[in-house]
Every structure is written in structure tokens, then in C-alpha cells.
Amino acid sequence: MPVKHPIFARLYTRVSKTMERSGMAEYRRTLLAGLSGTVVEVGAGNGLNFAHYPDTVDRVVAVEPEPYLRQIASANAKQAPVAVDVVDGIADRLPLADGTAHGAVVSLVLCSVPDQAVALREIHRVLTPGGKLHFLEHVQAESRRMQRLQRVLDSTIRPYLTGGCHAGRDTASMIERSGFTIDQLESFDFPDPRSLSARHILGTATRTDPGQS
């Protein structure tokens, strides 16, 4: 089923530029540090990560289903310091063979996939054994009051207004339940602590397999 959010895509393109100037660009650089070889970026959006990939990366396969965002990402890919192939695809069915990516990147996307468990299983599938998942996501708030508000809005109007985004997901726990061991994890509020989607996590996780310690 095609993924099209034309109004949200245009709004996000404008808002994301403001977020970059407010400090998100520095978080993106931290997110991508240490990657090498072939990398799959899931939900590349308008391609704002591309400028920050280190030269240790040989190739990025950037998967983006939304047509407007994918068009902008393709233009940004031409200015990237590494080779970036922008392709149509969804997180539930990544267009890569098993064990072909050395690293995977998700940034502000696991909030909007239909099923986090399915998307993370796909990422696990395409990563090499011991491959790294780098993540930057906004997640469930710390306060109970805010969590209740997130649940109400996530189950009603928020996903329809924000391209499928759910503000209250416990993404770190889902990563750990999906065949990954979290190596590094930082939590912070951005940009405004009062925002419904202020709480973020930034870190890395290693693909593990049954029987590995």
C-alpha cells in the first residue's frame, strides 16, 4: 500500500529545517559517528542525515516511502559526502538481502511505523551478525500525566495529523525485545521540555542472535 502524507510531508520539510538550526544537526552527527561499510537508513525522510555520514561509510541505502520526502532526499543525496542510493520502500519490507548491511540507522521514524516489532525484525534480518543499529527517536514521556495524554492522542487524532507518528512509544524496550543489545543510550528533552514529543533517546545497539551472550 503506497505511503502518502502530502500535507504532513511539506510541513515536516519546513519544521525540520528549524529543528536543525536548534541543535538537531549536532545530534545527527553523534547518531552517525562510528558507522562503516554498507548502511541502510530506514525512513530517510528528506535526507537531512546524509550530510553527516562519516567517510568510513562506503554506501548508504536510504529507504523512504513518502514520494515528496523521497524527492527531496534524492536531491540531498547528490550533495552527500558518501554514496547514497535513495529507494522506495517500507520498514516492514526492506529491499536488501539477509545480512548485507553493516549498520542501520533510524531517526525519528520508529514513532511512525505501523508495527515497531515488525520493522525491527526487518532491520535485524538485513544486518550482518554483530551489525550495529544507530537510533535517534522521540519516545514516551517520563511523567505519568504526560504519558496518559500521549496515549489518548496516539489512539485518536495524532497519527492522522502527523504522518502516523505516535508520541508515547517505549522504543528502547522494543529494541531490546527485537534481537538487539543496547550498547549506548542517552536520554534528553528537545527542543522544549513541555512538548508532547520532547523526550528523545540516542544510542546504538548490536544485533544478537539466539544463543549469543
Side-chain angles (χ1 to χ4, degrees), residues 192-210:
D192 183 344
R194 298 167 296 181
S195 168
L196 187 71
S197 55
R199 198 64 179 168
H200 286 69
I201 57 171
L202 171 64
T204 63
T206 301
R207 174 192 151 159
T208 55
D209 293 294

Side-chain angles (χ1 to χ4, degrees), residues 75-139:
N76 285 331
K78 297 176 183 177
Q79 309 300 321
V82 300
V84 179
D85 298 324
V86 179
V87 299
D88 187 7
I90 59 173
D92 294 0
R93 293 192 300 275
L94 295 175
L96 287 88
D98 296 1
T100 53
H102 302 98
V105 173
V106 287
S107 61
L108 309 180
V109 66
L110 290 179
C111 59
S112 60
V113 296
D115 189 319
Q116 283 189 324
V118 172
L120 286 163
R121 281 199 299 270
E122 268 292 275
I123 293 170
H124 189 280
R125 177 186 67 79
V126 303
L127 279 173
T128 59
K132 296 288 186 177
L133 170 63
H134 291 226
F135 54 88
L136 169 59
E137 298 287 341
H138 68 80
V139 296

